[in-house]
Amino acid sequence: MNGGRLLGVTRDEPEHADVIDVDGIICPGFVDAHVHVESSGLRPARYAEIVVREGTTAVVWDPHEVVNVSGELGLEWAVKTAEEALPFKFYIALPSCVPALGPPYETVEGEITVDVARRFASHPMVVSVGELMDVAGVMEGEKDGFIGLKNLYGLTVDGHAPGLTGFEAMRYFAAGPETDHECSTAEEFISRRELGIWTFVRQGSSSKDLEVALETLEDLRGVCFVTDDLHIKDMDEISLRKMVGRAIEAGFDPLESLSTVTLNPSLCYGLRSGRLAPGFHADIVVVEDLDESMELTDVWIGGKRSEHVRFRDAEAELPDVELSVNPRKVSFQDGKYEVRCIGLVRGSIRTEEIVREVTVEDGVVKDDDVAFLVVSDRYGQGSWSIGFVEGFEELGCALVSTVAHDSHNVVVAGRRLDDVRKALQLVFEVGGCVGAVAGDRAEFVRLDVAGLMSSSDPEEVKKSYEDVLELIRSSSGVDWDPFQALSFVTLPVIPELRLTDRGLVKVEPDEIRFVDVIIDGDPVE
């Protein structure tokens, strides 16, 4: 090694270089090809401390969550963090769809234009144009400015094409995107491999696509494993190391499996990480064997043992939540209604449109598996909307979160309007948070960094989050973590039905439009 870079891997002892003598199989440090660090609920430095224990020494971070709420200031913070956090590598994907959709469909604050992106494109830690979520805009040429940064600055162009197969997928990827992390079905995985697109297999807190991929794919050439949106509570159970071990257990070639988190992301993005080659970063993972356990014995990052390294992130005054809606004004008239209801799909961020009858009496949804869903803007504009969600069983409390993709307005779900109002009042009083309210009892995790991340110690965050989940379990039939599902019911670029602060949005591959919540009804006067 020399200055944190590799001179090479050899059985001989060279002169004039630092030498690492290891017992085991040496691998490049693992590279996560697609993450949103903000989804962990932690500041980037704390995130790095946790994932490096599992051998991840680099990530490709699309910071569009923090950029959505703070615009160019958030992007500056992310790039500065990439500088401050070394030797952990936060490679940056420039957000290309901020806002993801925007007016008239939702209230937003941040905006990144091509001119803004261009100012950051030559930074050495910037490696890609972030996921192009505006599928129609890509195919109609409206995103050509962002796609053009590829040739000007040597960037990879990340895709985002849920549900697209056949000719429509060909049109989308022919326009410029080179990767896709939105594959959730066998048909989508087959489509991407047939088209020769870098295929990302996602295993995060919300979308868990690894098993479908392993059942569908014949090999792992051109495949990268990613965690995408991974919350701190799941970091003990989900990691790149464990994904590689699962692939080996499923019968895939060990070296091919390892390449999904080393060679493949390195080639995809042109990184100086992911390979044990002269001049590359001295990030090294030592394992006992390339088998299903992938048992780690040592991790080196920047030429130092990971336990001897401390990571930093940049300081910035990122905006907190500014809730201007009066919670007492949130209401819904009693009666029996036929409604469009957002149906949750467990293990996926996609939703279904469900038409069903609901009954509201004394401000309470009487159907056990249906709850009110309220979205209020976080930017002081005073807009809000109300609808219904199916899938939170016998919800006896109100769930509230200021993490609500991608505009991160405030989202609340609850069967009792009284609890919903108290949850909104909680945000009004404390600012950004994720929590639960049942009657006079409330538990929450304060998210003091842009209403998305906590600056507290990770163990404290986990403890507070568990207190929130315990309140939910004790007052509901919900015995699973509902917040990842809740945080995506507001994302109006993924099928099929979403609620924003402006209303109910129907999302189809070729069209996005507002639809009515109530189809027919008999309100009580």
Side-chain angles (χ1 to χ4, degrees):
M1 293 186 301
N2 189 8
R5 299 273 181 165
L6 285 170
L7 287 178
V9 179
T10 177
R11 290 183 174 86
D12 301 321
E13 185 168 330
E15 298 180 0
H16 312 300
D18 297 324
V19 177
I20 297 175
D21 189 9
V22 300
D23 183 15
I25 297 175
I26 61 171
C27 310
F30 303 152
V31 181
D32 196 326
H34 184 79
V35 303
H36 304 292
V37 173
E38 308 95 308
S39 294
S40 70
L42 303 174
R43 293 185 68 109
R46 305 290 81 76
Y47 170 92
E49 289 171 0
I50 292 176
V51 298
V52 77
R53 300 171 196 162
E54 286 286 294
T56 298
T57 58
V59 300
V60 178
W61 173 23
D62 185 336
H64 73 212
E65 314 297 358
V66 70
V67 172
N68 262 284
V69 303
S70 55
E72 188 174 349
L73 174 64
L75 183 53
E76 290 175 350
W77 174 76
V79 172
K80 184 64 174 176
T81 290
E83 298 171 351
E84 296 283 343
L86 293 170
F88 192 91
K89 287 80 183 173
F90 285 107
Y91 296 109
I92 302 296
L94 292 173
S96 66
C97 290
V98 174
L101 193 56
Y105 297 100
E106 57 182 346
T107 300
V108 299
E109 181 75 10
E111 182 180 8
I112 298 296
T113 64
V114 175
D115 287 339
V116 171
R118 189 179 291 114
R119 292 204 292 271
F120 294 90
S122 61
H123 193 282
M125 295 304 289
V126 172
V127 298
S128 79
V129 175
E131 54 184 299
L132 287 159
M133 295 183 285
D134 184 358
V135 173
V138 170
M139 292 193 286
E140 294 168 9
E142 297 173 2
K143 289 294 182 178
D144 285 354
F146 279 100
I147 293 171
L149 298 178
K150 170 185 177 179
N151 293 328
L152 290 173
Y153 298 97
L155 305 179
T156 301
V157 179
D158 288 321
H160 170 108
L164 285 192
T165 57
F167 181 69
E168 291 301 297
M170 295 178 192
R171 285 186 60 203
Y172 176 82
F173 290 108
E178 303 167 86
T179 75
D180 192 12
H181 63 280
E182 287 290 339
C183 298
S184 296
T185 68
E187 186 180 15
E188 289 167 326
F189 279 116
I190 292 170
S191 166
R192 304 306 180 262
R193 299 314 307 127
E194 289 179 344
L195 293 176
I197 298 302
W198 285 104
T199 305
F200 292 180
V201 177
R202 174 176 51 185
Q203 191 77 352
S205 293
S206 297
S207 291
K208 296 177 171 60
D209 306 317
L210 179 61
E211 293 306 317
V212 174
L214 297 181
E215 293 170 2
T216 303
L217 299 173
E218 295 181 358
D219 58 65
L220 297 175
R221 292 190 291 272
V223 172
C224 299
F225 288 167
V226 303
T227 58
D228 197 2
D229 295 289
L230 183 62
H231 191 265
I232 181 177
K233 72 174 182 63
D234 297 316
M235 287 183 171
D236 291 337
E237 300 299 324
I238 299 173
S239 68
L240 297 183
R241 177 184 71 84
K242 292 179 180 177
M243 294 176 73
V244 171
R246 177 68 188 98
I248 295 172
E249 181 183 35
F252 286 88
D253 178 80
L255 288 178
E256 216 171 77
S257 301
L258 180 64
S259 294
T260 62
V261 299
T262 53
L263 179 63
N264 292 355
S266 180
L267 294 175
C268 178
Y269 290 106
L271 308 179
R272 304 298 283 180
S273 300
R275 285 182 271 178
L276 298 178
F280 277 62
H281 292 296
D283 303 335
I284 298 170
V285 171
V286 184
V287 298
E288 289 185 358
D289 200 358
L290 289 180
D291 58 15
E292 62 188 60
S293 72
M294 284 291 291
E295 191 68 34
L296 293 184
T297 61
D298 213 348
V299 178
W300 294 69
I301 183 167
K304 299 178 181 179
R305 278 196 165 87
S306 59
E307 59 264 31
H308 298 152
V309 178
R310 294 294 176 264
F311 307 112
R312 299 185 303 170
D313 49 39
E315 295 298 326
E317 292 295 327
L318 300 172
D320 204 343
V321 177
E322 182 184 352
L323 186 67
S324 60
V325 172
N326 184 340
R328 292 190 298 273
K329 292 185 177 181
V330 174
S331 62
F332 195 92
Q333 191 170 4
D334 287 354
K336 293 184 178 181
Y337 302 91
E338 182 182 23
V339 303
R340 290 183 176 89
C341 187
I342 297 175
L344 302 179
V345 179
R346 293 281 292 275
S348 174
I349 63 175
R350 301 184 187 187
T351 63
E352 298 174 338
E353 178 182 0
I354 297 174
V355 176
R356 59 169 294 163
E357 291 185 351
V358 298
T359 300
V360 179
E361 294 181 6
D362 299 322
V364 179
V365 178
K366 306 305 290 185
D367 308 80
D368 287 347
D369 58 341
V370 177
F372 289 115
L373 188 66
V374 173
V375 181
S376 170
D377 92 274
R378 66 138 65 190
Y379 304 107
Q381 301 301 308
S383 61
W384 65 277
S385 68
I386 190 167
F388 297 91
V389 61
E390 178 184 300
F392 296 127
E393 301 90 349
E394 298 178 2
L395 190 60
C397 62
L399 314 173
V400 60
S401 178
T402 58
V403 178
H405 300 279
D406 275 342
S407 55
H408 299 292
N409 288 309
V410 182
V411 59
V412 183
R415 291 174 61 205
R416 299 182 181 87
L417 278 176
D418 281 348
D419 284 344
V420 169
R421 296 180 186 117
K422 289 177 181 177
L424 288 170
Q425 184 64 30
L426 175 66
V427 176
F428 185 82
E429 293 174 357
V430 306
C433 65
V434 56
V437 176
D440 294 330
R441 186 182 173 192
E443 297 285 352
F444 64 93
V445 179
R446 176 74 170 104
L447 303 178
D448 58 305
V449 183
L452 302 173
M453 297 163 278
S454 173
S455 57
S456 298
D457 178 81
E459 291 305 314
E460 293 179 9
V461 176
K462 288 172 69 174
K463 173 62 170 61
S464 296
Y465 196 79
E466 181 55 39
D467 290 341
V468 174
L469 296 181
E470 178 55 36
L471 175 56
I472 296 169
R473 287 191 291 264
S474 65
S475 61
S476 307
V478 180
D479 59 358
W480 47 282
D481 183 348
F483 286 106
Q484 294 301 313
L486 183 67
S487 70
F488 280 100
V489 296
T490 56
L491 181 56
V493 293
I494 293 183
E496 181 173 29
L497 201 62
R498 308 283 160 164
L499 188 72
T500 75
D501 66 303
R502 303 287 186 89
L504 192 63
V505 181
K506 179 69 175 289
V507 183
E508 297 175 303
D510 59 347
E511 184 182 20
I512 297 175
R513 68 185 191 277
F514 284 117
V515 294
D516 293 330
V517 173
I518 299 174
I519 299 172
D520 193 14
D522 183 19
V524 176
E525 299 297 335

